[in-house]
């Protein structure tokens, strides 16, 4: 019996059948065929980015877990959630960002930034 070590949502890196390096997240797992359907977010083949493709499980590896301890990487992940129209993930990341900013006191600093330079996730409302 073939047991795969991947789940939907895992971040992975691997090669396509044509040898292209791809990075993305698992959208579907086909245990019978030994393939993963991944949504490509980075590749050495530009046309693959943003598409869903199948790769063999063999030769694909999980990427390291993401640490939610700084705002900058979370902002990048929020951009990715927006690009992929993943509302649930966007809300989860936004909550983590709020937690980090409130823990570090950044929320107070952000409220002193004019609305014209705040990003779309500003922590205060427009006055």
């Amino acid at each position: 019996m073939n047991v795969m070590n991947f789940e939907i949502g895992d971040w992975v890196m691997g090669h396509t059948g044509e040898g292209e390096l791809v990075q993305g997240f698992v959208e579907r797992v086909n245990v019978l065929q030994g393939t993963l359907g991944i949504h490509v977010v980075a590749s050495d083949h530009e046309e693959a980015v943003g598409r869903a493709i199948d790769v063999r499980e063999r030769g694909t590896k999980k990427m390291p877990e993401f640490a939610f301890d700084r705002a900058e990487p979370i902002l990048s992940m929020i951009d990715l959630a927006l690009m992929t129209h993943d509302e649930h993930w966007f809300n989860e990341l936004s909550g983590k960002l709020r937690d980090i900013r409130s823990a570090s006191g950044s929320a107070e600093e952000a409220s002193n930034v004019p609305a014209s330079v705040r990003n779309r996730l500003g922590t205060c409302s427009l006055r």
Side-chain angles (χ1 to χ4, degrees), residues 43-96:
S43 176
D44 57 359
H45 181 67
E46 291 283 327
E47 294 171 9
V49 175
R51 293 186 16 225
I53 63 168
D54 289 336
V55 296
R56 291 248 173 245
E57 182 247 352
R58 188 179 336 173
T60 302
K61 65 180 182 177
K62 288 184 184 180
M63 296 177 69
E65 291 290 323
F66 180 71
F68 292 102
D69 57 352
R70 294 188 1 249
E72 295 82 17
I74 293 175
L75 288 170
S76 295
M77 299 299 274
I78 286 172
D79 287 340
L80 183 57
L82 289 169
M83 286 189 301
T84 59
H85 306 286
D86 190 331
E87 184 177 356
H88 176 75
W89 190 31
F90 171 81
N91 290 334
E92 179 183 336
L93 290 167
S94 296
K96 290 182 187 303

Side-chain angles (χ1 to χ4, degrees), residues 6-62:
F6 296 94
E7 296 178 14
I8 293 173
D10 285 346
W11 285 88
V12 297
M13 180 175 20
H15 289 87
T16 66
E18 291 80 35
E20 302 159 345
L21 178 64
V22 293
Q23 294 177 328
F25 56 91
V26 177
E27 290 185 318
R28 64 188 177 284
V29 176
N30 187 327
V31 176
L32 296 175
Q33 293 184 352
T35 60
L36 303 170
I38 65 170
H39 182 92
V40 179
V41 298
S43 176
D44 57 359
H45 181 67
E46 291 283 327
E47 294 171 9
V49 175
R51 293 186 16 225
I53 63 168
D54 289 336
V55 296
R56 291 248 173 245
E57 182 247 352
R58 188 179 336 173
T60 302
K61 65 180 182 177
K62 288 184 184 180

